[in-house]
Amino acid sequence: MDLLTNIQEHLAKEFATRYDAGVRKFDFLGGRRSGKTYFILQFLLTRVYLGEAVSVATMTDTQGRLGAYQDAKDIVNGSSIAPFCDILTSPQEIRSKTGGRMFFKSYQQSETAKGIACDWLYINEANNFTEQQYIDLSASVRKGTIADRNPNPECWTERNGFSLIHSTWQDNKEHLAPAQIAE
């Protein structure tokens, strides 16, 4: 399975060390182009391939559709698991023939952030979510929660036992096009 080719090595080392030590709440802090979303989706798609359920929470439909959902589709379509997956557009979901699935949902309205039974929860751009939304979303998570966020002075992840992993665009330089580096 080639899901983990072109992996961001810095994030992989930090994540694997903590995961192997039993950590199951991760906070990826980094700016644009640091590779955090792509790396997280690579890991979570391996979980889907193994038959697990993954909930991907975004703040807006556009953020989900053009961000995490599009990245997940690109990862699947560029890997050897593509024949074993169905990519649905309505609802936005990736289903594995092994029974695993990754579903994408936006939560712009805080009162709609209710937990969905899943193995893993991924909160994309967590700094846009409230702590109460996190509490509601994580209520039915069986295995772990991953959040990513942009550099901010403070986030609810810091008060809730998340293990912080830093990244910058320089950690991901070998995966960026010259125009992205110039940006």
Side-chain angles (χ1 to χ4, degrees), residues 46-59:
T46 65
R47 307 316 303 172
V48 170
Y49 183 76
L50 295 172
E52 296 181 6
V54 175
S55 175
V56 178
T58 61
M59 184 53 66

Side-chain angles (χ1 to χ4, degrees), residues 145-156:
T145 301
I146 300 174
D148 77 5
R149 62 186 170 111
N150 295 317
N152 295 52
E154 195 267 338
C155 186
W156 51 263

Side-chain angles (χ1 to χ4, degrees), residues 86-148:
D86 294 316
I87 299 174
L88 286 69
T89 55
S90 184
Q92 292 179 346
E93 191 170 315
I94 296 174
R95 294 182 187 164
S96 169
K97 298 196 184 341
T98 62
R101 58 186 221 157
M102 179 179 280
F103 41 93
F104 299 79
K105 185 126 174 69
S106 66
Y107 296 99
Q108 195 162 6
Q109 303 291 329
S110 61
E111 58 274 1
T112 65
K114 301 300 177 211
I116 299 169
C118 62
D119 296 299
W120 287 89
L121 169 65
Y122 171 31
I123 303 175
N124 182 233
E125 303 292 348
N127 46 290
N128 293 324
F129 285 79
T130 67
E131 187 168 10
Q132 187 60 52
Q133 285 174 305
Y134 155 68
I135 291 167
D136 292 341
L137 288 170
S138 65
S140 300
V141 175
R142 294 181 286 266
K143 295 189 177 180
T145 301
I146 300 174
D148 77 5

Side-chain angles (χ1 to χ4, degrees), residues 23-116:
V23 172
R24 293 300 181 266
K25 289 166 69 173
F26 299 91
D27 177 8
F28 286 80
L29 175 67
R32 285 181 44 119
R33 309 281 185 226
S34 69
K36 60 191 187 301
T37 301
Y38 204 84
F39 170 80
I40 292 165
L41 289 168
Q42 285 175 303
F43 167 75
L44 292 173
L45 283 164
T46 65
R47 307 316 303 172
V48 170
Y49 183 76
L50 295 172
E52 296 181 6
V54 175
S55 175
V56 178
T58 61
M59 184 53 66
T60 67
D61 286 328
T62 302
Q63 176 193 0
R65 181 174 39 83
L66 299 177
Y69 176 67
Q70 184 61 51
D71 284 347
K73 287 181 2 180
D74 291 345
I75 293 167
V76 168
N77 287 329
S79 75
S80 60
I81 69 163
F84 304 100
C85 293
D86 294 316
I87 299 174
L88 286 69
T89 55
S90 184
Q92 292 179 346
E93 191 170 315
I94 296 174
R95 294 182 187 164
S96 169
K97 298 196 184 341
T98 62
R101 58 186 221 157
M102 179 179 280
F103 41 93
F104 299 79
K105 185 126 174 69
S106 66
Y107 296 99
Q108 195 162 6
Q109 303 291 329
S110 61
E111 58 274 1
T112 65
K114 301 300 177 211
I116 299 169

